[in-house]
Amino acid sequence: MARRRLLLLLKPFDVLPTNQSENNFHFRNPKVLKYLDNRRLVHKEAINFCQSILRKKLVDWEAVYRFNLSQPIRGVDLVVTIGGDGTLLQASHFVDNSIPVLGVNSDPTQAKEVEEYSEEFDASRSTGFLCAATVKNFEQIIDDILESRVRPSEVSRMSVTLNSKQLSPYALNDVLIAHPCPATVSRFSFRTKKEEQSCSSLVHCRSSGLRVSTAAGSTAAMLSAGGFAMPILSKDLQYIVREPIAPGAYNSLMHGIVKPEELMDIAWYCKEGLIYIDGSHLVHSVQHGDIIELSSNAPTLKVFLPSHLIS
């Protein structure tokens, strides 16, 4: 068997807080500091464990911290992300649809810990929604991949164009379009189109912005905003207008679906605005009169998903 080439993309270790101000309860609470230190330790041990497993396999691998990733990933057979969904998201911005990704949740939430500390602080750890592996099953999944006993799923991504220019990268989770100031009203209009023909009437909005998600992103901010979870392999996009200023009957137009053969056409009518792609780190500016188009006409991401998502 030919040796496989792997890239390990690592979440960096979180820095423990140094602010010991007596006015800051959390930083004075020894339970919080113990919890944070344990999270660092668990993540470090997960990295070491995964690397020790790979040393026993017929693979060549290189480890890179995600903040050092700046160029497209090429020349590898598999990307293994060790962290959580954020690290897998980062990887998705640097791979095309030829390189599969395996996510390892290095620090899963512990239900007993959340319950124990529920009255003091939020002890949630990593969700790892898209991560198929933890340290408990990492070796089995790696063996299944190397022996071709499992195949990656193809998860939809979203294309974003601004005035007909393709923006980078493709969105795996969602896109948020809003005024830079959250207290300022965003003004925009949108409609869905198919082959240059309108599929819906033009909707004029005053709100706090517009969020559009893929199926993978529908369980994140979209769900929190009042949307619904979509089947993970759906090619549809889901949109929701945030906090619309509109009559009640009009609100039915503020939440809907964009089918794979359609695109969403958005005209921006504020002096300034921002397009956030998959969170706050990837941002593009827009101004009055700009046209934004969103669609699922984008390369899919090959990712090994948790079995419960595809069963």
Side-chain angles (χ1 to χ4, degrees):
M1 184 193 305
R3 295 183 72 90
R4 307 284 187 89
R5 297 189 61 190
L6 278 61
L7 176 70
L8 272 61
L9 191 65
L10 311 179
K11 173 187 174 182
F13 300 111
D14 293 329
V15 178
L16 283 175
T18 57
N19 180 2
Q20 301 297 324
S21 167
E22 292 187 2
N23 294 324
N24 194 316
F25 166 76
H26 283 88
F27 292 167
R28 289 187 291 115
N29 187 337
K31 290 184 179 179
V32 175
L33 294 175
K34 180 181 178 181
Y35 158 80
L36 292 174
D37 192 46
N38 181 257
R39 291 201 63 179
R40 285 165 42 86
L41 179 62
V42 169
H43 176 56
K44 181 179 181 180
E45 289 177 345
I47 291 174
N48 291 338
F49 175 81
C50 292
Q51 291 178 336
S52 70
I53 294 298
L54 292 179
R55 291 188 185 101
K56 301 186 298 182
K57 308 299 177 182
L58 194 66
V59 297
D60 296 316
W61 55 270
E62 175 187 5
V64 176
Y65 284 106
R66 69 186 193 189
F67 56 72
N68 288 328
L69 197 59
S70 60
Q71 299 295 324
I73 298 173
R74 296 191 176 94
V76 299
D77 300 299
L78 175 69
V79 174
V80 178
T81 65
I82 305 179
D85 287 326
T87 308
L88 195 150
L89 263 179
Q90 179 85 348
S92 77
H93 297 158
F94 291 89
V95 295
D96 58 20
N97 61 350
S98 67
I99 301 174
V101 179
L102 169 67
V104 180
N105 187 352
S106 63
D107 185 30
T109 292
Q110 302 172 22
K112 290 184 178 179
E113 184 179 57
V114 172
E115 181 179 358
E116 178 183 353
Y117 295 138
S118 61
E119 296 185 2
E120 299 178 69
F121 62 94
D122 181 5
S124 301
R125 296 187 178 223
S126 173
T127 301
F129 177 74
L130 297 174
C131 297
T134 66
V135 294
K136 294 181 179 180
N137 64 357
F138 176 72
E139 184 168 17
Q140 180 62 59
I141 290 179
I142 279 293
D143 286 343
D144 287 344
I145 292 173
L146 295 178
E147 296 294 333
S148 300
R149 291 193 291 263
V150 293
R151 297 179 61 85
S153 299
E154 296 200 15
V155 175
S156 181
R157 289 190 275 194
M158 188 187 332
S159 169
V160 186
T161 66
L162 175 60
N163 299 326
S164 301
K165 180 181 179 182
Q166 177 72 53
L167 299 185
S168 180
Y170 297 110
L172 177 60
N173 260 10
D174 58 22
V175 167
L176 172 65
I177 308 170
H179 193 279
C181 174
T184 298
V185 173
S186 295
R187 295 173 180 265
F188 56 91
S189 299
F190 71 86
R191 61 183 173 181
T192 57
K193 296 170 59 177
K194 179 180 178 182
E195 296 179 352
E196 301 303 320
Q197 299 295 318
S198 294
C199 298
S200 69
S201 58
L202 191 63
V203 181
H204 305 290
C205 297
R206 290 181 298 147
S207 74
S208 62
L210 174 69
R211 186 181 299 279
V212 184
S213 84
T214 63
S218 66
T219 61
M222 176 61 72
L223 188 62
S224 299
F228 55 86
M230 301 160 65
I232 189 64
L233 300 182
S234 172
K235 303 300 183 184
D236 293 345
L237 301 179
Q238 182 180 172
Y239 69 85
I240 192 165
V241 177
R242 302 196 311 168
E243 302 167 329
I245 304 171
Y250 196 58
N251 285 341
S252 63
L253 301 174
M254 300 296 164
H255 181 206
I257 290 293
V258 182
K259 304 302 291 183
E261 66 274 12
E262 300 172 350
L263 61 82
M264 191 172 198
D265 185 77
I266 305 149
W268 186 253
Y269 293 127
C270 286
K271 182 179 179 181
E272 54 185 331
L274 295 173
I275 302 173
Y276 299 94
I277 298 178
D278 284 341
S280 61
H281 299 294
L282 298 165
V283 184
H284 297 273
S285 297
V286 291
Q287 57 188 4
H288 187 280
D290 282 348
I291 302 297
I292 305 143
E293 291 184 347
L294 307 176
S295 78
S296 58
N297 183 23
T300 57
L301 177 71
K302 290 184 177 178
V303 56
F304 291 96
L305 292 170
S307 58
H308 69 271
L309 291 182
I310 53 178
S311 59

PDB file of all heavy atoms in Angstrom, residues 35 81 174 191 240 301:
ATOM      1  N   TYR A  35     -11.009  24.630  35.527  1.00  0.00           N
ATOM      2  CA  TYR A  35     -11.728  24.198  34.321  1.00  0.00           C
ATOM      3  C   TYR A  35     -10.970  24.613  33.059  1.00  0.00           C
ATOM      4  O   TYR A  35     -10.780  23.810  32.138  1.00  0.00           O
ATOM      5  CB  TYR A  35     -13.132  24.797  34.356  1.00  0.00           C
ATOM      6  CG  TYR A  35     -13.843  24.907  33.030  1.00  0.00           C
ATOM      7  CD1 TYR A  35     -14.466  23.811  32.457  1.00  0.00           C
ATOM      8  CD2 TYR A  35     -13.907  26.125  32.354  1.00  0.00           C
ATOM      9  CE1 TYR A  35     -15.136  23.917  31.247  1.00  0.00           C
ATOM     10  CE2 TYR A  35     -14.574  26.242  31.148  1.00  0.00           C
ATOM     11  CZ  TYR A  35     -15.187  25.138  30.599  1.00  0.00           C
ATOM     12  OH  TYR A  35     -15.840  25.250  29.401  1.00  0.00           O
ATOM     13  N   THR A  81      -8.317  17.625  11.254  1.00  0.00           N
ATOM     14  CA  THR A  81      -8.364  18.806  12.113  1.00  0.00           C
ATOM     15  C   THR A  81      -8.544  18.346  13.554  1.00  0.00           C
ATOM     16  O   THR A  81      -9.389  17.494  13.845  1.00  0.00           O
ATOM     17  CB  THR A  81      -9.521  19.746  11.721  1.00  0.00           C
ATOM     18  OG1 THR A  81     -10.779  19.109  11.956  1.00  0.00           O
ATOM     19  CG2 THR A  81      -9.416  20.138  10.249  1.00  0.00           C
ATOM     20  N   ASP A 174     -22.282  29.789   7.135  1.00  0.00           N
ATOM     21  CA  ASP A 174     -23.278  30.828   6.860  1.00  0.00           C
ATOM     22  C   ASP A 174     -22.631  32.141   6.452  1.00  0.00           C
ATOM     23  O   ASP A 174     -21.408  32.319   6.530  1.00  0.00           O
ATOM     24  CB  ASP A 174     -24.198  31.048   8.074  1.00  0.00           C
ATOM     25  CG  ASP A 174     -23.456  31.439   9.344  1.00  0.00           C
ATOM     26  OD1 ASP A 174     -22.324  31.941   9.261  1.00  0.00           O
ATOM     27  OD2 ASP A 174     -24.021  31.247  10.440  1.00  0.00           O
ATOM     28  N   ARG A 191     -34.451  39.082  -3.533  1.00  0.00           N
ATOM     29  CA  ARG A 191     -35.373  38.197  -4.243  1.00  0.00           C
ATOM     30  C   ARG A 191     -34.592  36.954  -4.654  1.00  0.00           C
ATOM     31  O   ARG A 191     -33.353  36.951  -4.650  1.00  0.00           O
ATOM     32  CB  ARG A 191     -35.944  38.882  -5.488  1.00  0.00           C
ATOM     33  CG  ARG A 191     -34.893  39.277  -6.500  1.00  0.00           C
ATOM     34  CD  ARG A 191     -35.503  40.016  -7.675  1.00  0.00           C
ATOM     35  NE  ARG A 191     -34.461  40.546  -8.558  1.00  0.00           N
ATOM     36  CZ  ARG A 191     -34.704  41.253  -9.652  1.00  0.00           C
ATOM     37  NH1 ARG A 191     -35.958  41.525  -9.994  1.00  0.00           N
ATOM     38  NH2 ARG A 191     -33.712  41.705 -10.407  1.00  0.00           N
ATOM     39  N   ILE A 240     -32.858  34.031   6.789  1.00  0.00           N
ATOM     40  CA  ILE A 240     -33.728  34.651   7.774  1.00  0.00           C
ATOM     41  C   ILE A 240     -33.319  36.112   7.931  1.00  0.00           C
ATOM     42  O   ILE A 240     -32.116  36.422   8.015  1.00  0.00           O
ATOM     43  CB  ILE A 240     -33.680  33.905   9.128  1.00  0.00           C
ATOM     44  CG1 ILE A 240     -34.800  34.375  10.053  1.00  0.00           C
ATOM     45  CG2 ILE A 240     -32.326  34.029   9.787  1.00  0.00           C
ATOM     46  CD1 ILE A 240     -35.028  33.447  11.244  1.00  0.00           C
ATOM     47  N   LEU A 301     -17.680  20.210  -0.008  1.00  0.00           N
ATOM     48  CA  LEU A 301     -16.577  19.820   0.864  1.00  0.00           C
ATOM     49  C   LEU A 301     -16.719  18.345   1.174  1.00  0.00           C
ATOM     50  O   LEU A 301     -17.774  17.897   1.634  1.00  0.00           O
ATOM     51  CB  LEU A 301     -16.603  20.622   2.166  1.00  0.00           C
ATOM     52  CG  LEU A 301     -15.510  20.236   3.181  1.00  0.00           C
ATOM     53  CD1 LEU A 301     -14.137  20.688   2.698  1.00  0.00           C
ATOM     54  CD2 LEU A 301     -15.817  20.814   4.556  1.00  0.00           C
TER      55      LEU A 301
END
